[in-house]
Amino acid sequence: MAHSMGFITVLSLLAIVPLCLSGKTYGGGGYLYPQFYHHSCPKAQEIVKHFVAKAVAEDPRMAASLLRLHFHDCFVKGCDASVLLDSSGTIISEKRSNPNRDSARGFEVIDEIKAAIEKECPHTVSCADIMALAARDSTVLTGGPNWDVPLGRRDSRDASLSGSNNNIPAPNNTFQTILTKFKLQGLDIVDLVALSGSHTIGNARCTSFRQRLYNQAGNGKPDYTLDQSYAAHLRTHCPKSGGDQNLFFLDFVSPVKFDNSYFKNLLAYKGLLSSDEVLFTKNAESRELVKTYAYNQELFFQQFSKSMIKMGNISPLTGYKGEIRKYCRKVNAY
């Protein structure tokens, strides 16, 4: 789930598809529900939405960055804001992991939201819930679906560098490896395909897909599942060496609009990452799901919302577990 750049217009808001997907979701010894802060911090969601809109207006890439941050958090010890912690004391930050180093971003936006919410209602709203709301708002701002975010998560007191390195799917993982990593989080193949659709916005670095252009199978030849005219275009800015940080749209058709063109690109063998294209080329069930979402955006939006809620419920800390951090980058002092 990578970065986006470009220009977002107010017209994208017209594409919002509100869905009534609220209700309680259970996990972690308690349950999450959208009205969790209704009395304790009624303006929380409004504050998050304001600062996300401000950040995306200033930097359109930020929408995908905030969406990706939530994903990278949930796949490591659950949705507990562990990805936000800086290294200190016994904590080794997940920001140093291979999936996050030089690519994870949006931390300053979360800091800004947290500071504003702390002024409004101190020691009440968790950083983990702020991330879940920011991911939803980023989706809506770029024209994607809306959903009620179940709330009530608490923040972890530790991080897992090894978990971040091992649990988050990599761009060059095989289809089976990616699916296994999703299943370990309680997610299935439908969730995998739908959530991969978040690559309808965002960017990837040259280093994330270079092997597809030059040496996919170790034989010095490009990936045969990549459209060769598209590959030739990519090579102009992604050389065999150098240019590692050069950015490319994950969805070149509508790079800053949340829609289903990502899936249409896969049908044309123009998925940027290997982990994208394998959804169409390596498994019959995922192939049919790609086709379904390519032909029916509404179905994609509905499933994406359901899968985001499901992902957001991975091992939440609730009740008296964890804490409500005052600053998202460090655990509270006791």
Side-chain angles (χ1 to χ4, degrees), residues 1-2 61-74 105 131-132 134-140 142 147 195 197-201 258 304 308 311:
M1 296 179 183
R61 284 180 61 197
M62 193 54 68
S65 297
L66 292 170
L67 190 52
R68 182 175 186 255
L69 203 56
H70 181 47
F71 168 61
H72 281 209
D73 180 51
C74 291
R105 57 200 298 273
M131 293 176 72
R136 188 272 312 274
D137 292 342
S138 294
T139 302
V140 173
T142 48
W147 64 92
L195 292 173
S198 65
H199 285 183
T200 179
I201 58 174
F258 198 103
F304 183 81
M308 283 295 290
M311 184 184 78

Side-chain angles (χ1 to χ4, degrees), residues 2 30 50 87 101-102 122 134 144 151 208 245 258-259 275-276 281 317:
H50 168 78
S87 295
R101 189 174 59 248
D102 299 325
L151 301 167
S208 298
Q245 304 303 318
F258 198 103
D259 56 21
S275 55
D276 293 324
T281 61
L317 298 173

Side-chain angles (χ1 to χ4, degrees), residues 1 61 69 72 80 174 201 236 250 261 271 273 276 290 330:
M1 296 179 183
R61 284 180 61 197
L69 203 56
H72 281 209
D80 60 1
T174 65
I201 58 174
T236 61
L250 285 160
S261 60
L273 305 178
D276 293 324
V290 168
K330 61 182 182 179

Side-chain angles (χ1 to χ4, degrees), residues 168-180:
I168 298 170
N172 59 351
N173 280 163
T174 65
F175 174 85
Q176 194 55 52
T177 296
I178 296 168
L179 181 58
T180 297

Side-chain angles (χ1 to χ4, degrees), residues 38-334:
H38 184 70
H39 296 293
S40 60
C41 194
K43 292 184 179 179
Q45 296 202 40
E46 179 185 330
I47 292 171
V48 174
K49 187 177 297 184
H50 168 78
F51 282 99
V52 171
K54 174 174 170 282
V56 172
E58 293 172 354
D59 175 12
R61 284 180 61 197
M62 193 54 68
S65 297
L66 292 170
L67 190 52
R68 182 175 186 255
L69 203 56
H70 181 47
F71 168 61
H72 281 209
D73 180 51
C74 291
F75 266 58
V76 183
K77 303 187 327 81
C79 308
D80 60 1
S82 61
V83 72
L84 301 179
L85 289 171
D86 289 336
S87 295
S88 65
T90 59
I91 294 173
I92 302 176
S93 178
E94 293 170 18
K95 298 173 185 178
R96 296 167 58 176
S97 72
N98 291 328
N100 292 329
R101 189 174 59 248
D102 299 325
S103 65
R105 57 200 298 273
F107 301 108
E108 294 80 6
V109 178
I110 301 298
D111 289 342
E112 193 174 12
I113 296 170
K114 179 62 171 174
I117 287 182
E118 282 296 307
K119 285 183 180 179
E120 178 70 22
C121 19
H123 201 67
T124 301
V125 180
S126 68
C127 301
D129 278 344
I130 289 173
M131 293 176 72
L133 289 168
R136 188 272 312 274
D137 292 342
S138 294
T139 302
V140 173
L141 275 169
T142 48
N146 196 359
W147 64 92
D148 291 328
V149 179
L151 301 167
R153 302 167 190 80
R154 289 168 64 85
D155 301 322
S156 69
R157 295 191 179 103
D158 58 1
S160 177
L161 180 64
S162 62
S164 187
N165 275 321
N166 296 324
N167 297 356
I168 298 170
N172 59 351
N173 280 163
T174 65
F175 174 85
Q176 194 55 52
T177 296
I178 296 168
L179 181 58
T180 297
K181 289 181 177 181
F182 268 71
K183 286 184 174 179
L184 287 172
Q185 304 298 337
L187 303 173
D188 58 27
I189 193 168
V190 177
D191 301 312
L192 164 58
V193 178
L195 292 173
S196 294
S198 65
H199 285 183
T200 179
I201 58 174
N203 290 31
R205 297 174 295 160
C206 166
T207 186
S208 298
F209 61 88
R210 176 184 281 124
Q211 85 284 349
R212 297 192 74 199
L213 304 180
Y214 302 102
N215 192 26
Q216 175 71 355
N219 57 5
K221 295 182 179 180
D223 187 348
Y224 71 92
T225 67
L226 179 62
D227 178 84
Q228 291 309 298
S229 63
Y230 182 45
H233 168 71
L234 295 172
R235 288 189 198 99
T236 61
H237 296 290
C238 186
K240 280 188 178 181
S241 62
D244 286 6
Q245 304 303 318
N246 292 350
L247 293 173
F248 295 78
F249 293 128
L250 285 160
D251 169 8
F252 68 92
V253 174
S254 53
V256 295
K257 183 180 180 184
F258 198 103
D259 56 21
N260 68 336
S261 60
Y262 163 83
F263 296 105
K264 295 176 182 179
N265 294 341
L266 298 188
L267 298 187
Y269 299 98
K270 293 181 179 179
L272 183 62
L273 305 178
S274 176
S275 55
D276 293 324
E277 197 60 53
V278 294
L279 300 178
F280 185 62
T281 61
K282 298 298 184 181
N283 180 275
E285 187 176 355
S286 67
R287 181 184 180 93
E288 290 307 309
L289 287 166
V290 168
K291 289 180 180 178
T292 297
Y293 299 148
Y295 299 141
N296 192 324
Q297 179 169 282
E298 184 178 353
L299 277 181
F300 163 49
F301 278 13
Q302 289 175 357
Q303 186 57 53
F304 183 81
S305 300
K306 292 176 183 176
S307 293
M308 283 295 290
I309 291 172
K310 190 174 174 182
M311 184 184 78
N313 195 46
I314 297 174
S315 305
L317 298 173
T318 58
Y320 294 101
K321 296 179 180 178
E323 65 181 14
I324 304 297
R325 290 184 211 142
K326 184 176 182 181
Y327 303 104
C328 291
R329 294 174 184 255
K330 61 182 182 179
V331 297
N332 294 338
Y334 291 97

